[in-house]
Amino acid sequence: MPELPEVEVVRRGLARWVLGARLGPVEVLHPRPVRRHEAGPLDFAGRLAGVRVTDVVRRGKFLWLALDDGDAVMAHLGMSGQLLLQPRSTPDERHLRVRIGLQFPADDSAASGRELRFVDQRMFGGLSLEKLVPTPDGLPAGLGAGGRAEPLLPAPVLHIARDPLDPDLDERALIERLRSRRTGVKRALLDQTLVSGVGNIYADEALWRARLHFARPTDQLTRPAARRLLDAVREVMREALAQGGTSFDALYVNVNGESGYFDRSLAVYGQEGRPCPRCGTPVRRDAFMNRSSFTCPHCQPRPRQGRW
DNA sequence: CGCATATCCTGACCGC
DNA sequence: TGCGGTCAGGATATGC
């Protein structure tokens, strides 16, 4: 499942290869992934044709192509979304949903002859055309190509909080907001309006590193504990990015949540019954929020009055 | 308002 | 072989 590190790998790939390209023609093969576009798939395709990509920006799990007409193509990969830069001759993927033609300013671009494909089996994700608006705090919206600070963000991203890798994240304020919540710490981590980019996998991995149980009430967290948790989130995301990012030089942009990182480096997520890498106690799985949470029962003891 | 939960969606997998 | 049930979970709408 694509969380922040996987989306960042895609952003880097796109920034490298799609910057400056003109979009079009656009073909929507399934209406659901463009459901956010009120005027419908045909309008979506028509409006994209001819615009030029000026930057590729990310906040949390949201990604957008800034366009030279002041709008942006916003993308969310949901659970199974992929953005692929494929040769036009490559046969359509089984779950190809949107095809976006690319015209490059120079014929010698390594990406010439390729098109951008949105592939998504389960269609929780999608693409939409959005207005770019200033951030409420006046700080940059996110980082684009070459580390450029972009001042604008798509309107639907306004309520999405800064992510742990954002240099403008106000960590002190976040810690106080976290501690003022009346819920369990994992629920808070997954709340994209508090801090963005964290999904089920990195939440479990960070909680394990910080030795916190997911049901620990947020208002019981000391400031140092909250700080350790945020550091753990950043650390696990940076490590994942380093491993997942090994192939972003290749002319191929891919995310399917099954990079080598997933197989090799997860301490607890998906590891039910396997030994905790720290103490050897078998990892435990609990149902939580209609999904699973993985913990080491020894390193992360359940609080007496936990909030699931 | 803050917090919790139902919903969307497809395909792999399992037991019968 | 087929069938029904379960599971995966990010964002959002709705409920309390």
Side-chain angles (χ1 to χ4, degrees):
Chain A
M1 273 57 68
E3 300 182 29
L4 187 153
E6 293 75 33
V7 180
E8 175 62 11
V9 170
V10 173
R11 189 200 68 76
R12 291 179 184 183
L14 292 178
R16 171 148 188 185
W17 299 109
V18 176
L19 212 60
R22 262 185 210 291
L23 304 185
V26 175
E27 185 185 357
V28 177
L29 294 99
H30 195 297
R32 182 160 173 85
V34 296
R35 63 194 176 280
R36 293 186 76 126
H37 192 80
E38 301 264 341
L42 279 176
D43 185 82
F44 176 81
R47 283 176 194 269
L48 281 196
V51 297
R52 190 183 291 274
V53 178
T54 58
D55 209 346
V56 187
V57 196
R58 181 191 57 75
R59 174 180 288 201
K61 303 171 209 171
F62 284 85
L63 178 72
W64 61 95
L65 309 179
L67 306 173
D68 63 356
D69 66 354
D71 291 346
V73 182
M74 185 177 84
H76 197 291
L77 301 177
M79 293 183 54
S80 52
Q82 297 170 267
L83 283 166
L84 308 177
L85 203 48
Q86 295 279 53
R88 284 194 286 265
S89 58
T90 302
D92 289 1
E93 291 75 12
R94 176 132 101 107
H95 302 294
L96 177 63
R97 308 304 188 187
V98 183
R99 184 198 320 278
I100 302 179
L102 299 170
Q103 291 130 43
F104 295 90
D107 276 347
D108 62 348
S109 165
S112 287
R114 302 216 173 207
E115 60 188 18
L116 183 60
R117 297 182 179 182
F118 183 73
V119 177
D120 192 4
Q121 182 215 123
R122 286 151 79 179
M123 295 187 290
F124 274 47
L127 304 178
S128 59
L129 188 56
E130 305 289 349
K131 292 270 172 253
L132 287 173
V133 299
T135 57
D137 58 10
L139 294 168
L143 293 184
R148 181 165 60 221
E150 285 288 341
L152 307 176
L153 79 174
V157 183
L158 274 170
H159 70 289
I160 300 296
R162 293 182 180 282
D163 61 61
L165 301 188
D166 188 328
D168 291 310
L169 175 74
D170 184 342
E171 195 169 321
R172 261 183 215 225
L174 171 54
I175 286 169
E176 294 316 308
R177 280 188 75 196
L178 177 66
R179 297 176 67 238
S180 70
R181 291 279 170 116
R182 295 292 179 271
T183 186
V185 65
K186 183 169 172 181
R187 276 184 190 278
L189 273 185
L190 296 177
D191 182 346
Q192 306 294 303
T193 67
L194 185 67
V195 60
S196 68
V198 185
N200 204 37
I201 297 167
Y202 292 103
D204 277 5
E205 292 298 304
L207 288 166
W208 176 80
R209 290 183 184 219
R211 301 177 192 244
L212 286 170
H213 188 274
F214 60 82
R216 171 69 58 187
T218 45
D219 53 344
Q220 286 180 13
L221 288 174
T222 63
R223 287 186 183 86
R227 172 81 57 176
R228 277 196 296 276
L229 177 58
L230 279 185
D231 286 343
V233 172
R234 251 195 299 265
E235 183 184 74
V236 69
M237 283 185 167
R238 288 220 173 94
E239 288 176 21
L241 187 52
Q243 295 186 45
T246 51
S247 65
F248 68 76
D249 269 3
L251 190 59
Y252 181 60
V253 180
N254 183 25
V255 157
N256 56 21
E258 295 177 17
S259 63
Y261 173 78
F262 277 71
D263 292 345
R264 290 190 276 275
S265 302
L266 294 177
V268 286
Y269 182 83
Q271 308 298 311
E272 183 180 14
R274 300 180 64 92
C276 163
R278 213 161 33 213
C279 74
T281 305
V283 169
R284 168 189 169 98
R285 180 165 78 101
D286 287 295
F288 170 84
M289 287 173 79
N290 285 330
R291 57 208 67 184
S292 294
S293 274
F294 297 89
T295 54
C296 167
H298 178 255
C299 300
Q300 303 164 271
R302 198 161 80 76
R304 265 181 244 287
Q305 294 163 330
R307 295 211 184 95
W308 291 41

mmCIF file of all heavy atoms in Angstrom, chain A residues 186-227:
data_model
loop_
_atom_site.group_PDB
_atom_site.id
_atom_site.type_symbol
_atom_site.label_atom_id
_atom_site.label_comp_id
_atom_site.label_asym_id
_atom_site.label_seq_id
_atom_site.Cartn_x
_atom_site.Cartn_y
_atom_site.Cartn_z
ATOM 1 N N LYS A 186 -2.488 5.397 17.773
ATOM 2 C CA LYS A 186 -2.459 4.999 16.368
ATOM 3 C C LYS A 186 -3.548 5.695 15.561
ATOM 4 O O LYS A 186 -3.323 6.111 14.426
ATOM 5 C CB LYS A 186 -2.576 3.484 16.224
ATOM 6 C CG LYS A 186 -2.468 3.036 14.767
ATOM 7 C CD LYS A 186 -2.319 1.554 14.619
ATOM 8 C CE LYS A 186 -2.416 1.162 13.146
ATOM 9 N NZ LYS A 186 -2.293 -0.283 12.953
ATOM 10 N N ARG A 187 -4.713 5.831 16.156
ATOM 11 C CA ARG A 187 -5.774 6.592 15.493
ATOM 12 C C ARG A 187 -5.275 7.981 15.134
ATOM 13 O O ARG A 187 -5.541 8.498 14.056
ATOM 14 C CB ARG A 187 -6.995 6.728 16.400
ATOM 15 C CG ARG A 187 -7.920 5.565 16.356
ATOM 16 C CD ARG A 187 -9.143 5.840 17.226
ATOM 17 N NE ARG A 187 -9.940 4.641 17.386
ATOM 18 C CZ ARG A 187 -10.826 4.220 16.488
ATOM 19 N NH1 ARG A 187 -11.028 4.919 15.382
ATOM 20 N NH2 ARG A 187 -11.505 3.124 16.688
ATOM 21 N N ALA A 188 -4.577 8.592 16.084
ATOM 22 C CA ALA A 188 -4.063 9.942 15.861
ATOM 23 C C ALA A 188 -3.036 9.957 14.724
ATOM 24 O O ALA A 188 -3.053 10.841 13.868
ATOM 25 C CB ALA A 188 -3.456 10.489 17.151
ATOM 26 N N LEU A 189 -2.153 8.961 14.717
ATOM 27 C CA LEU A 189 -1.134 8.895 13.660
ATOM 28 C C LEU A 189 -1.750 8.770 12.271
ATOM 29 O O LEU A 189 -1.207 9.262 11.289
ATOM 30 C CB LEU A 189 -0.213 7.690 13.882
ATOM 31 C CG LEU A 189 1.005 7.835 14.781
ATOM 32 C CD1 LEU A 189 1.808 6.539 14.732
ATOM 33 C CD2 LEU A 189 1.867 9.011 14.361
ATOM 34 N N LEU A 190 -2.874 8.077 12.213
ATOM 35 C CA LEU A 190 -3.522 7.839 10.918
ATOM 36 C C LEU A 190 -4.402 9.006 10.488
ATOM 37 O O LEU A 190 -4.914 9.015 9.367
ATOM 38 C CB LEU A 190 -4.360 6.552 10.977
ATOM 39 C CG LEU A 190 -3.572 5.254 11.197
ATOM 40 C CD1 LEU A 190 -4.520 4.066 11.309
ATOM 41 C CD2 LEU A 190 -2.570 5.033 10.084
ATOM 42 N N ASP A 191 -4.601 9.969 11.378
ATOM 43 C CA ASP A 191 -5.446 11.126 11.070
ATOM 44 C C ASP A 191 -4.650 12.123 10.229
ATOM 45 O O ASP A 191 -3.758 12.810 10.736
ATOM 46 C CB ASP A 191 -5.922 11.767 12.376
ATOM 47 C CG ASP A 191 -6.856 12.951 12.123
ATOM 48 O OD1 ASP A 191 -6.940 13.442 10.975
ATOM 49 O OD2 ASP A 191 -7.495 13.395 13.092
ATOM 50 N N GLN A 192 -4.988 12.204 8.952
ATOM 51 C CA GLN A 192 -4.205 13.019 8.007
ATOM 52 C C GLN A 192 -4.347 14.519 8.251
ATOM 53 O O GLN A 192 -3.620 15.305 7.651
ATOM 54 C CB GLN A 192 -4.605 12.688 6.566
ATOM 55 C CG GLN A 192 -4.520 11.198 6.235
ATOM 56 C CD GLN A 192 -3.109 10.638 6.265
ATOM 57 O OE1 GLN A 192 -2.241 11.122 5.555
ATOM 58 N NE2 GLN A 192 -2.882 9.624 7.096
ATOM 59 N N THR A 193 -5.303 14.908 9.105
ATOM 60 C CA THR A 193 -5.420 16.335 9.423
ATOM 61 C C THR A 193 -4.518 16.717 10.592
ATOM 62 O O THR A 193 -4.371 17.902 10.909
ATOM 63 C CB THR A 193 -6.881 16.716 9.765
ATOM 64 O OG1 THR A 193 -7.266 16.094 10.999
ATOM 65 C CG2 THR A 193 -7.829 16.285 8.660
ATOM 66 N N LEU A 194 -3.925 15.712 11.230
ATOM 67 C CA LEU A 194 -2.983 15.975 12.318
ATOM 68 C C LEU A 194 -1.552 15.944 11.781
ATOM 69 O O LEU A 194 -0.768 16.879 11.963
ATOM 70 C CB LEU A 194 -3.165 14.924 13.421
ATOM 71 C CG LEU A 194 -2.342 15.108 14.683
ATOM 72 C CD1 LEU A 194 -2.782 16.348 15.444
ATOM 73 C CD2 LEU A 194 -2.465 13.874 15.583
ATOM 74 N N VAL A 195 -1.215 14.835 11.143
ATOM 75 C CA VAL A 195 0.062 14.704 10.444
ATOM 76 C C VAL A 195 -0.232 13.775 9.269
ATOM 77 O O VAL A 195 -0.989 12.822 9.409
ATOM 78 C CB VAL A 195 1.172 14.145 11.363
ATOM 79 C CG1 VAL A 195 0.821 12.775 11.906
ATOM 80 C CG2 VAL A 195 2.513 14.106 10.646
ATOM 81 N N SER A 196 0.325 14.051 8.106
ATOM 82 C CA SER A 196 -0.077 13.290 6.924
ATOM 83 C C SER A 196 1.003 12.315 6.471
ATOM 84 O O SER A 196 2.162 12.404 6.889
ATOM 85 C CB SER A 196 -0.451 14.238 5.784
ATOM 86 O OG SER A 196 0.692 14.915 5.323
ATOM 87 N N GLY A 197 0.606 11.384 5.647
ATOM 88 C CA GLY A 197 1.558 10.467 5.027
ATOM 89 C C GLY A 197 1.697 9.130 5.719
ATOM 90 O O GLY A 197 2.293 8.207 5.173
ATOM 91 N N VAL A 198 1.185 9.017 6.961
ATOM 92 C CA VAL A 198 1.326 7.776 7.723
ATOM 93 C C VAL A 198 0.117 6.879 7.471
ATOM 94 O O VAL A 198 -1.012 7.311 7.651
ATOM 95 C CB VAL A 198 1.438 8.052 9.241
ATOM 96 C CG1 VAL A 198 1.701 6.744 9.995
ATOM 97 C CG2 VAL A 198 2.513 9.075 9.526
ATOM 98 N N GLY A 199 0.364 5.655 7.060
ATOM 99 C CA GLY A 199 -0.689 4.659 6.897
ATOM 100 C C GLY A 199 -0.488 3.524 7.879
ATOM 101 O O GLY A 199 0.346 3.604 8.794
ATOM 102 N N ASN A 200 -1.224 2.457 7.684
ATOM 103 C CA ASN A 200 -1.228 1.355 8.648
ATOM 104 C C ASN A 200 0.165 0.741 8.832
ATOM 105 O O ASN A 200 0.564 0.405 9.941
ATOM 106 C CB ASN A 200 -2.220 0.280 8.187
ATOM 107 C CG ASN A 200 -2.715 -0.568 9.341
ATOM 108 O OD1 ASN A 200 -2.919 -0.064 10.446
ATOM 109 N ND2 ASN A 200 -2.885 -1.842 9.098
ATOM 110 N N ILE A 201 0.894 0.612 7.744
ATOM 111 C CA ILE A 201 2.194 -0.068 7.813
ATOM 112 C C ILE A 201 3.209 0.750 8.606
ATOM 113 O O ILE A 201 3.810 0.264 9.570
ATOM 114 C CB ILE A 201 2.719 -0.339 6.390
ATOM 115 C CG1 ILE A 201 1.761 -1.294 5.669
ATOM 116 C CG2 ILE A 201 4.132 -0.906 6.445
ATOM 117 C CD1 ILE A 201 1.993 -1.394 4.171
ATOM 118 N N TYR A 202 3.390 2.015 8.207
ATOM 119 C CA TYR A 202 4.401 2.823 8.891
ATOM 120 C C TYR A 202 3.971 3.192 10.304
ATOM 121 O O TYR A 202 4.813 3.394 11.178
ATOM 122 C CB TYR A 202 4.760 4.067 8.059
ATOM 123 C CG TYR A 202 5.478 3.661 6.795
ATOM 124 C CD1 TYR A 202 4.831 3.650 5.579
ATOM 125 C CD2 TYR A 202 6.793 3.213 6.854
ATOM 126 C CE1 TYR A 202 5.475 3.218 4.423
ATOM 127 C CE2 TYR A 202 7.447 2.777 5.722
ATOM 128 C CZ TYR A 202 6.787 2.785 4.503
ATOM 129 O OH TYR A 202 7.424 2.343 3.385
ATOM 130 N N ALA A 203 2.674 3.261 10.560
ATOM 131 C CA ALA A 203 2.199 3.492 11.928
ATOM 132 C C ALA A 203 2.660 2.339 12.825
ATOM 133 O O ALA A 203 3.241 2.560 13.890
ATOM 134 C CB ALA A 203 0.682 3.626 11.946
ATOM 135 N N ASP A 204 2.421 1.114 12.376
ATOM 136 C CA ASP A 204 2.812 -0.038 13.188
ATOM 137 C C ASP A 204 4.331 -0.108 13.378
ATOM 138 O O ASP A 204 4.819 -0.409 14.475
ATOM 139 C CB ASP A 204 2.319 -1.344 12.539
ATOM 140 C CG ASP A 204 0.862 -1.632 12.882
ATOM 141 O OD1 ASP A 204 0.233 -0.784 13.536
ATOM 142 O OD2 ASP A 204 0.360 -2.702 12.491
ATOM 143 N N GLU A 205 5.067 0.161 12.312
ATOM 144 C CA GLU A 205 6.529 0.100 12.408
ATOM 145 C C GLU A 205 7.078 1.185 13.340
ATOM 146 O O GLU A 205 7.987 0.939 14.133
ATOM 147 C CB GLU A 205 7.147 0.228 11.013
ATOM 148 C CG GLU A 205 6.881 -0.965 10.116
ATOM 149 C CD GLU A 205 7.467 -2.264 10.667
ATOM 150 O OE1 GLU A 205 8.684 -2.298 10.914
ATOM 151 O OE2 GLU A 205 6.709 -3.232 10.852
ATOM 152 N N ALA A 206 6.523 2.378 13.254
ATOM 153 C CA ALA A 206 6.994 3.483 14.102
ATOM 154 C C ALA A 206 6.637 3.240 15.570
ATOM 155 O O ALA A 206 7.446 3.499 16.468
ATOM 156 C CB ALA A 206 6.405 4.813 13.617
ATOM 157 N N LEU A 207 5.433 2.731 15.814
ATOM 158 C CA LEU A 207 5.028 2.445 17.192
ATOM 159 C C LEU A 207 5.934 1.372 17.796
ATOM 160 O O LEU A 207 6.312 1.460 18.968
ATOM 161 C CB LEU A 207 3.559 2.004 17.235
ATOM 162 C CG LEU A 207 2.552 3.131 16.981
ATOM 163 C CD1 LEU A 207 1.164 2.572 16.691
ATOM 164 C CD2 LEU A 207 2.497 4.088 18.184
ATOM 165 N N TRP A 208 6.302 0.395 16.984
ATOM 166 C CA TRP A 208 7.204 -0.647 17.475
ATOM 167 C C TRP A 208 8.568 -0.041 17.825
ATOM 168 O O TRP A 208 9.129 -0.311 18.878
ATOM 169 C CB TRP A 208 7.371 -1.755 16.424
ATOM 170 C CG TRP A 208 8.354 -2.807 16.827
ATOM 171 C CD1 TRP A 208 8.131 -3.850 17.680
ATOM 172 C CD2 TRP A 208 9.724 -2.894 16.427
ATOM 173 N NE1 TRP A 208 9.272 -4.594 17.819
ATOM 174 C CE2 TRP A 208 10.268 -4.033 17.064
ATOM 175 C CE3 TRP A 208 10.540 -2.136 15.581
ATOM 176 C CZ2 TRP A 208 11.602 -4.425 16.890
ATOM 177 C CZ3 TRP A 208 11.860 -2.522 15.397
ATOM 178 C CH2 TRP A 208 12.371 -3.664 16.053
ATOM 179 N N ARG A 209 9.083 0.801 16.957
ATOM 180 C CA ARG A 209 10.386 1.435 17.223
ATOM 181 C C ARG A 209 10.331 2.307 18.468
ATOM 182 O O ARG A 209 11.308 2.398 19.210
ATOM 183 C CB ARG A 209 10.823 2.270 16.019
ATOM 184 C CG ARG A 209 11.205 1.419 14.826
ATOM 185 C CD ARG A 209 11.702 2.258 13.670
ATOM 186 N NE ARG A 209 11.962 1.395 12.497
ATOM 187 C CZ ARG A 209 12.983 1.541 11.675
ATOM 188 N NH1 ARG A 209 13.842 2.532 11.855
ATOM 189 N NH2 ARG A 209 13.149 0.726 10.649
ATOM 190 N N ALA A 210 9.193 2.968 18.684
ATOM 191 C CA ALA A 210 9.052 3.853 19.847
ATOM 192 C C ALA A 210 8.570 3.089 21.085
ATOM 193 O O ALA A 210 8.369 3.686 22.144
ATOM 194 C CB ALA A 210 8.090 4.992 19.517
ATOM 195 N N ARG A 211 8.382 1.791 20.937
ATOM 196 C CA ARG A 211 7.926 0.924 22.033
ATOM 197 C C ARG A 211 6.609 1.391 22.641
ATOM 198 O O ARG A 211 6.421 1.395 23.861
ATOM 199 C CB ARG A 211 8.989 0.812 23.131
ATOM 200 C CG ARG A 211 10.298 0.242 22.617
ATOM 201 C CD ARG A 211 11.340 0.210 23.719
ATOM 202 N NE ARG A 211 12.671 -0.066 23.184
ATOM 203 C CZ ARG A 211 13.386 -1.163 23.472
ATOM 204 N NH1 ARG A 211 12.911 -2.060 24.304
ATOM 205 N NH2 ARG A 211 14.575 -1.334 22.949
ATOM 206 N N LEU A 212 5.704 1.773 21.777
ATOM 207 C CA LEU A 212 4.386 2.208 22.224
ATOM 208 C C LEU A 212 3.312 1.282 21.660
ATOM 209 O O LEU A 212 3.360 0.904 20.484
ATOM 210 C CB LEU A 212 4.095 3.638 21.719
ATOM 211 C CG LEU A 212 4.826 4.786 22.398
ATOM 212 C CD1 LEU A 212 4.602 6.075 21.627
ATOM 213 C CD2 LEU A 212 4.342 4.941 23.840
ATOM 214 N N HIS A 213 2.337 0.946 22.494
ATOM 215 C CA HIS A 213 1.187 0.177 22.027
ATOM 216 C C HIS A 213 0.230 1.115 21.304
ATOM 217 O O HIS A 213 0.081 2.271 21.676
ATOM 218 C CB HIS A 213 0.489 -0.488 23.216
ATOM 219 C CG HIS A 213 -0.579 -1.455 22.801
ATOM 220 N ND1 HIS A 213 -1.875 -1.069 22.543
ATOM 221 C CD2 HIS A 213 -0.527 -2.797 22.576
ATOM 222 C CE1 HIS A 213 -2.580 -2.139 22.197
ATOM 223 N NE2 HIS A 213 -1.799 -3.194 22.211
ATOM 224 N N PHE A 214 -0.429 0.584 20.266
ATOM 225 C CA PHE A 214 -1.311 1.446 19.455
ATOM 226 C C PHE A 214 -2.477 2.053 20.225
ATOM 227 O O PHE A 214 -3.010 3.085 19.847
ATOM 228 C CB PHE A 214 -1.835 0.678 18.233
ATOM 229 C CG PHE A 214 -2.647 -0.551 18.547
ATOM 230 C CD1 PHE A 214 -3.996 -0.449 18.863
ATOM 231 C CD2 PHE A 214 -2.059 -1.809 18.517
ATOM 232 C CE1 PHE A 214 -4.743 -1.581 19.147
ATOM 233 C CE2 PHE A 214 -2.801 -2.956 18.799
ATOM 234 C CZ PHE A 214 -4.152 -2.840 19.112
ATOM 235 N N ALA A 215 -2.853 1.394 21.344
ATOM 236 C CA ALA A 215 -4.008 1.890 22.105
ATOM 237 C C ALA A 215 -3.610 2.884 23.200
ATOM 238 O O ALA A 215 -4.472 3.347 23.950
ATOM 239 C CB ALA A 215 -4.762 0.727 22.727
ATOM 240 N N ARG A 216 -2.340 3.201 23.289
ATOM 241 C CA ARG A 216 -1.894 4.178 24.302
ATOM 242 C C ARG A 216 -2.659 5.498 24.129
ATOM 243 O O ARG A 216 -2.653 6.086 23.057
ATOM 244 C CB ARG A 216 -0.394 4.426 24.146
ATOM 245 C CG ARG A 216 0.174 5.560 24.962
ATOM 246 C CD ARG A 216 0.180 5.291 26.439
ATOM 247 N NE ARG A 216 0.935 4.076 26.778
ATOM 248 C CZ ARG A 216 0.960 3.549 28.018
ATOM 249 N NH1 ARG A 216 0.294 4.134 29.009
ATOM 250 N NH2 ARG A 216 1.654 2.454 28.247
ATOM 251 N N PRO A 217 -3.350 5.952 25.184
ATOM 252 C CA PRO A 217 -4.090 7.219 25.054
ATOM 253 C C PRO A 217 -3.129 8.379 24.772
ATOM 254 O O PRO A 217 -2.083 8.494 25.415
ATOM 255 C CB PRO A 217 -4.762 7.386 26.425
ATOM 256 C CG PRO A 217 -4.849 5.993 26.972
ATOM 257 C CD PRO A 217 -3.615 5.299 26.473
ATOM 258 N N THR A 218 -3.505 9.207 23.811
ATOM 259 C CA THR A 218 -2.623 10.313 23.402
ATOM 260 C C THR A 218 -2.366 11.288 24.558
ATOM 261 O O THR A 218 -1.299 11.883 24.637
ATOM 262 C CB THR A 218 -3.248 11.088 22.227
ATOM 263 O OG1 THR A 218 -4.634 11.307 22.506
ATOM 264 C CG2 THR A 218 -3.104 10.310 20.940
ATOM 265 N N ASP A 219 -3.366 11.432 25.433
ATOM 266 C CA ASP A 219 -3.198 12.394 26.531
ATOM 267 C C ASP A 219 -2.325 11.845 27.659
ATOM 268 O O ASP A 219 -2.066 12.538 28.633
ATOM 269 C CB ASP A 219 -4.553 12.883 27.061
ATOM 270 C CG ASP A 219 -5.476 11.729 27.436
ATOM 271 O OD1 ASP A 219 -5.205 10.590 27.010
ATOM 272 O OD2 ASP A 219 -6.454 11.967 28.144
ATOM 273 N N GLN A 220 -1.889 10.583 27.496
ATOM 274 C CA GLN A 220 -0.921 10.033 28.468
ATOM 275 C C GLN A 220 0.511 10.120 27.959
ATOM 276 O O GLN A 220 1.447 9.745 28.675
ATOM 277 C CB GLN A 220 -1.243 8.561 28.760
ATOM 278 C CG GLN A 220 -2.461 8.359 29.638
ATOM 279 C CD GLN A 220 -2.713 6.872 29.870
ATOM 280 O OE1 GLN A 220 -1.866 6.029 29.579
ATOM 281 N NE2 GLN A 220 -3.889 6.556 30.392
ATOM 282 N N LEU A 221 0.675 10.566 26.737
ATOM 283 C CA LEU A 221 2.019 10.653 26.165
ATOM 284 C C LEU A 221 2.781 11.824 26.771
ATOM 285 O O LEU A 221 2.289 12.956 26.787
ATOM 286 C CB LEU A 221 1.951 10.847 24.648
ATOM 287 C CG LEU A 221 1.527 9.661 23.789
ATOM 288 C CD1 LEU A 221 1.387 10.108 22.337
ATOM 289 C CD2 LEU A 221 2.531 8.527 23.900
ATOM 290 N N THR A 222 3.966 11.540 27.273
ATOM 291 C CA THR A 222 4.822 12.646 27.706
ATOM 292 C C THR A 222 5.383 13.331 26.457
ATOM 293 O O THR A 222 5.384 12.753 25.369
ATOM 294 C CB THR A 222 6.000 12.132 28.554
ATOM 295 O OG1 THR A 222 6.803 11.272 27.740
ATOM 296 C CG2 THR A 222 5.496 11.354 29.769
ATOM 297 N N ARG A 223 5.869 14.526 26.625
ATOM 298 C CA ARG A 223 6.470 15.217 25.473
ATOM 299 C C ARG A 223 7.640 14.417 24.893
ATOM 300 O O ARG A 223 7.729 14.265 23.678
ATOM 301 C CB ARG A 223 6.899 16.634 25.840
ATOM 302 C CG ARG A 223 5.726 17.580 25.998
ATOM 303 C CD ARG A 223 6.161 19.024 26.233
ATOM 304 N NE ARG A 223 4.976 19.856 26.439
ATOM 305 C CZ ARG A 223 4.370 20.033 27.600
ATOM 306 N NH1 ARG A 223 4.858 19.444 28.694
ATOM 307 N NH2 ARG A 223 3.292 20.769 27.699
ATOM 308 N N PRO A 224 8.532 13.884 25.750
ATOM 309 C CA PRO A 224 9.629 13.084 25.182
ATOM 310 C C PRO A 224 9.139 11.843 24.438
ATOM 311 O O PRO A 224 9.696 11.474 23.405
ATOM 312 C CB PRO A 224 10.451 12.686 26.422
ATOM 313 C CG PRO A 224 10.142 13.731 27.430
ATOM 314 C CD PRO A 224 8.711 14.121 27.192
ATOM 315 N N ALA A 225 8.076 11.211 24.952
ATOM 316 C CA ALA A 225 7.551 10.025 24.269
ATOM 317 C C ALA A 225 6.968 10.411 22.915
ATOM 318 O O ALA A 225 7.162 9.699 21.917
ATOM 319 C CB ALA A 225 6.489 9.349 25.134
ATOM 320 N N ALA A 226 6.259 11.508 22.883
ATOM 321 C CA ALA A 226 5.690 11.979 21.618
ATOM 322 C C ALA A 226 6.805 12.315 20.626
ATOM 323 O O ALA A 226 6.722 11.995 19.439
ATOM 324 C CB ALA A 226 4.802 13.200 21.855
ATOM 325 N N ARG A 227 7.846 12.930 21.143
ATOM 326 C CA ARG A 227 8.995 13.279 20.305
ATOM 327 C C ARG A 227 9.662 12.015 19.746
ATOM 328 O O ARG A 227 9.987 11.941 18.563
ATOM 329 C CB ARG A 227 9.992 14.086 21.157
ATOM 330 C CG ARG A 227 11.322 14.381 20.522
ATOM 331 C CD ARG A 227 11.273 15.552 19.597
ATOM 332 N NE ARG A 227 10.781 16.758 20.282
ATOM 333 C CZ ARG A 227 10.716 17.963 19.704
ATOM 334 N NH1 ARG A 227 11.106 18.115 18.455
ATOM 335 N NH2 ARG A 227 10.255 19.005 20.372
#
